[in-house]
Every structure is written in structure tokens, then in C-alpha cells.
Amino acid sequence: MKEVEYLMNTPARLPVGLVKGNGCRVTDEAGKTYLDMVAGIAVCNLGHCHPAVVEALKSQVETLFHCSNLYRIPVQERFAEMLSKNAFNGKLFFCNSGAEANEGAIKLIRRYSADKGKRGSKIITCSGSFHGRTITTVAATGQIKFRKGFDPITEGFVHVDYGSIEAVKEVLDESIGGIILEPIQGESGIRIPPSGYLEELRDLCDRSGILLCLDEVQTGFSRTGKLFAYMYENMTPDIMTMAKAIANGFPAGAIMAREEVAEVFVPGTHASTFGGNPLAMAAGLATLEVMIKEDMPSRSMKMGAYFTGRLQELKKVHPSLIEIRGKGLMIGAEFDTDISFMTKEGLARGILLNTIGDRIIRLVPPIVITESEIDMAVSLIDEILKEKGL
Ligand code: PLP
């Protein structure tokens, strides 16, 4: 594509240039509008250009948009307090992305092991996981394809089967200081572990003195029908990482850790120039306020149930659609055949669809989506499947 001549060829870019967004719709350069089932990959949970977030950004940009963390940043303190009180009362460190949040969490686990000295510095992660694209987070990620050609990568990760407590027990020795995992795996196709898994892990971590870190980068901020996905179970993590929907599309990430863990980070141990800057924090605060005031977790649960129900109807008439799984509006529709054409066919019909591998459609629309928009999405998918004879 001539248009992207000056860009590195990292994503497999689709031939459409998006210039505007509003709620569940985006518009391209030619003025064509698309129904958005991607939301920037689980980012714009309140919908594109949510007025409260736009207002917060406008007002902050006219006031102060960068300030070093060498100084107090009041809007950052307010956002930290609100996040903490709506999760497990942990302390916050702000950064700029999911990978950076996980990098920080890995440092926190290692530093905790070094300072509080009960355990080694190795970290357990899971097969099929995704934790980011930096050299250390690709090492943590349990999918070889993301590591290929990048050796030497960071050492110190032990991979186990996702969803299995026994697998964790098998590798748990004195060298292990923590475990990092997603409550639902997003990038490997919306994989949901058995219920009770997180509670059992919590118990195992408590008994063996290792830290439990949940990567809620994709599952967080109402996506799964709870503010954070761990809230489905009777447990809290020691550390949680966040990014994506945290500021509804303004780049930001965060680590939350319970106080006794957080205190191993002292001046000089970790930092970020842009992390927690006033603009990101104003957007984050506005996002969380709307999310709580308008009870977005319940909306995600309700719309997710409706979407899943409509997809189940589709499954009855399209035998190639073999499984629909998900929680809230984090839904995977798995086929027994290659459906990678869905993204391009969707574009032609005015819908943004995302596929994982060549057999799974990932549906993570803005949570403000309506039933009629879901109906429209289902009928467009139906139309494509019919045309392909699937
Ligand atoms: N962790 C999870 C669970 C993710 O889904 C992602 C991105 O898809 C990341 C981490 C990395 O986030 P970022 O792309 O913001 O670095």
C-alpha cells in the first residue's frame, strides 16, 4: 500500500483509513461508516469520543498536559484513589501501556523476592498467554511465535498449562517468586479457565508465599461484566496490571499492588517520564467516573448475554460455527474452518471485525453498544457466512 510507505510493516494493515469515531461507529476518509466490533481491541469501552472523556481532555489540555513525576500531580492522586477504592485498595504506579505495566510488575515481583527474601526470582506464566511485545514480556508470554528471532530474551520464566492448578504445583519450588496470568486469555482466542481457578491459585500462592499477579490489560474496565475479571471469584490478587480501556483510548497503563508489596518500590527503583501525566490521568478519571456512575459492568454483562444468545441462534444455521464463549462483551466465536476473510468481507459491508488465528472472531465492541447494533452485527456476520456457504 503506497499510503503506508513510510511506516514499518508491523501490523497486517487493512486498506481503510479511519478518521472519526462516535459511540459504536467509526468513519473512514471517504465518509463511509462502520459498526465497530473491535473498539481499538478492547480499548474504547465507553465508545469512541465519549463526551465526558473529550471534555476532561479538552479542559486538561488547556491547563497542564505534562508534568514530571518529580512533582505531585493532583489529578493522578485522584485517579489512583478512585481506582484503588474500586478494586482491592492497592497502591498505584502509572505507565503508558500494557507491556510497560507488565514489565513493572515483573520488576516488582523480583524486587519483592530480593528485599523480602522468602523466595527466588523466577516467575510462572501460562501457555497461550500474552503479556506484551518488549523483550521481557515476550519472554513471559507463553506463545513461541512472539519470541521467534529475538534471542537472547529475558530469562527466569517457567511456563505451565493455563487453567491447571496441578501444573503450577508441579513446578512450584523455592526458585519461584510469583505467577502472572490473565483471568481470561484474550490474544489466544478468548480462553476461559475453569471456575474456581483463581481462588485455588490464591490459596496455593498464600500457602507457598509467592505473589499472584493478574494481567487485566484486556479483561479490565467492565469488559467481562465486572469492573475487573477477578471479581467473578472470591479472591484478590497481590498485583494487577491494567492498560487498554483505562482511559478509553488515551494511552495509559497502571500497576496496582497491595501495600506490603508496593513498598519495595522506593525512589530510584522504577520510573516513567510520561506515566501518570495529567492528560492521561484526566482521561482515566473521567472514564472511571462514567463507568461507575452508569454501571458499565452490568451493561457489559447484559449486552454480552444478548450478543451471545444471538450468536447461538446463528450457530444453529451455520454448522461451521462450533463454539461461542466469553464473559460480558469479551466474546469469541470459533469456527471449524478458515474464516480469516471476515475482516475484509466485514469492511465491504460496513463492520469492523477482528479475527484471532484463522478460526476465531473476537467480538469486543464498545460497551455502550445497543441491542439493535448487536442485531445488525449478527445479521452482517450471517450474510457473510451465507455467501461463503458456511
Ligand atoms: N497483556 C494483555 C492481556 C494484552 O491483551 C495485551 C495487548 O493485547 C498486553 C498485555 C500488551 O498491551 P500493550 O499493547 O498496551 O503493550
Side-chain angles (χ1 to χ4, degrees):
M1 264 185 281
K2 174 114 180 46
E3 295 87 338
V4 294
E5 189 177 354
Y6 295 102
L7 294 173
M8 287 199 197
N9 193 23
T10 48
R13 278 192 190 85
L14 289 157
V16 59
L18 299 174
V19 291
K20 257 201 306 204
N22 184 8
C24 213
R25 316 274 166 147
V26 286
T27 307
D28 72 11
E29 290 162 308
K32 179 174 170 180
T33 295
Y34 303 81
L35 191 56
D36 186 1
M37 294 298 113
V38 185
I41 315 194
V43 169
C44 303
N45 285 7
L46 297 182
H48 295 277
C49 296
H50 189 283
V53 184
V54 170
E55 213 27 69
L57 279 168
K58 271 188 185 164
S59 136
Q60 189 63 52
V61 85
E62 285 170 356
T63 320
L64 179 72
F65 56 90
H66 180 71
C67 171
S68 167
N69 283 295
L70 291 172
Y71 307 92
R72 286 186 42 228
I73 302 175
V75 62
Q76 184 187 100
E77 294 161 3
R78 292 205 297 279
F79 186 33
E81 180 178 354
M82 193 172 186
L83 261 178
S84 181
K85 286 184 171 162
N86 280 285
F88 54 93
N89 293 309
K91 290 195 170 230
L92 273 299
F93 174 88
F94 289 105
C95 54
N96 307 283
S97 69
E100 200 188 335
N102 285 327
E103 283 270 351
I106 291 162
K107 283 179 70 178
L108 193 57
I109 293 171
R110 287 191 174 184
R111 186 74 188 209
Y112 183 86
S113 294
D115 286 5
K116 305 220 170 183
K118 289 184 204 120
R119 287 273 179 171
S121 62
K122 282 193 186 163
I123 295 174
I124 298 173
T125 60
C126 293
S127 56
S129 61
F130 184 80
H131 299 296
R133 299 283 197 163
T134 60
I135 285 293
T136 297
T137 54
V138 291
T141 290
Q143 300 188 65
I144 295 215
K145 65 178 180 195
F146 294 114
R147 272 180 260 165
K148 201 166 160 258
F150 297 123
D151 285 336
I153 56 168
T154 310
E155 289 176 4
F157 294 97
V158 180
H159 301 284
V160 302
D161 282 349
Y162 185 57
S164 163
I165 295 290
E166 285 313 307
V168 177
K169 283 185 188 158
E170 262 168 42
V171 299
L172 199 55
D173 61 24
E174 290 301 314
S175 70
I176 305 288
I179 176 164
I180 302 179
L181 75 157
E182 297 149 87
I184 295 175
Q185 290 187 337
E187 295 308 299
S188 59
I190 319 294
R191 294 175 65 207
I192 305 171
S195 80
Y197 177 55
L198 295 184
E199 267 172 51
E200 279 190 63
L201 268 181
R202 175 71 277 171
D203 186 49
L204 185 59
C205 290
D206 286 344
R207 279 188 283 117
S208 47
I210 73 166
L211 296 177
L212 173 54
C213 171
L214 291 180
D215 176 343
E216 291 249 19
V217 168
Q218 191 160 153
T219 50
F221 297 98
S222 315
R223 175 52 56 196
T224 70
K226 297 276 180 192
L227 190 58
F228 295 102
Y230 79 79
M231 293 172 175
Y232 274 101
E233 299 204 19
N234 187 19
M235 58 83 68
T236 52
D238 299 302
I239 305 169
M240 173 168 78
T241 56
M242 297 157 265
K244 286 196 182 277
I246 187 169
N248 209 46
F250 198 90
I255 309 166
M256 187 185 293
R258 66 179 171 79
E259 193 160 352
E260 190 253 339
V261 176
E263 69 189 19
V264 302
F265 270 180
V266 292
T269 46
H270 197 51
S272 163
T273 295
F274 291 123
N277 71 79
L279 272 180
M281 297 298 97
L285 188 57
T287 301
L288 190 57
E289 277 168 359
V290 173
M291 224 164 240
I292 286 161
K293 195 162 136 244
E294 297 184 13
D295 195 6
M296 283 295 152
S298 299
R299 186 181 177 92
S300 174
M301 182 111 65
K302 187 168 156 236
M303 290 299 150
Y306 183 73
F307 209 156
T308 306
R310 293 299 328 271
L311 290 167
Q312 293 292 359
E313 288 168 23
L314 214 56
K315 186 166 168 267
K316 289 187 193 135
V317 288
H318 297 287
S320 61
L321 176 50
I322 53 171
E323 191 178 55
I324 292 127
R325 52 181 182 263
K327 277 191 178 166
L329 280 169
M330 184 171 185
I331 302 170
E334 181 158 355
F335 292 78
D336 66 1
T337 186
D338 187 336
I339 45 83
S340 50
F341 52 78
M342 274 289 172
T343 47
K344 281 196 179 141
E345 293 292 334
L347 281 187
R349 287 170 174 78
I351 182 168
L352 302 190
L353 292 170
N354 172 254
T355 53
I356 300 177
D358 55 15
R359 293 182 178 212
I360 298 166
I361 308 178
R362 163 171 45 189
L363 298 151
V364 284
I367 294 165
V368 293
I369 194 167
T370 61
E371 287 188 357
S372 67
E373 285 169 331
I374 292 173
D375 290 341
M376 195 183 297
V378 172
S379 82
L380 289 169
I381 295 170
D382 183 31
E383 200 179 299
I384 300 171
L385 292 173
K386 274 192 187 126
E387 195 186 284
K388 298 281 175 186
L390 298 173

